[in-house]
Amino acid sequence: MIFIAVRFTVRPDLADQWLDLVADFTAATRAEPGNLFFDWSRGVDDPNVFTLLEGFVDDEAGAVHVGSDHFAAGLAAMAGAVATTPEIINVKTEQPGWGPMAELAPTGA
């Protein structure tokens, strides 16, 4: 699996519109056959920071994603809304997706 985390610092005047701005890009990416997950979160300490967690089954799926029309359109849409260059972590792992956390499980009913 290819695991990618990208941190976007968004212009304060556009932060509340960010998820709408990336909605088409998000939907199109989630529909890709090689996509495992594509999830956004908003910073608790800084509401102008959004983190994207992405998973793709393999290098080929990642290449299809980066070569897609919706990827190019998504970058173009985001370029005017980001305040800084996004930061990225991109790693390959043998784990095929999310697994259960060994240290925590629900208790009670």
Side-chain angles (χ1 to χ4, degrees):
M1 173 180 75
I2 305 298
F3 176 79
I4 303 165
V6 187
R7 187 174 9 199
F8 298 84
T9 300
V10 179
R11 292 181 14 205
D13 59 314
L14 295 175
D16 287 338
Q17 300 167 42
W18 180 257
L19 293 177
D20 291 332
L21 181 76
V22 299
D24 289 343
F25 174 55
T26 299
T29 302
R30 287 177 176 166
E32 293 175 16
N35 179 257
L36 298 171
F37 53 87
F38 196 84
D39 299 323
W40 292 97
S41 64
R42 191 170 191 176
V44 174
D45 295 327
D46 185 345
N48 300 322
V49 174
F50 291 81
T51 300
L52 173 61
L53 300 180
E54 321 175 45
F56 296 92
V57 294
D58 55 24
D59 287 332
E60 183 180 337
V64 167
H65 172 63
V66 172
S68 69
D69 290 342
H70 60 267
F71 184 83
L75 292 183
M78 290 185 267
V82 294
T84 62
T85 300
E87 301 170 296
I88 189 168
I89 298 169
N90 183 328
V91 296
K92 231 187 257 192
T93 177
E94 295 301 316
Q95 187 171 330
W98 294 100
M101 183 178 173
E103 299 84 5
L104 182 63
T107 58

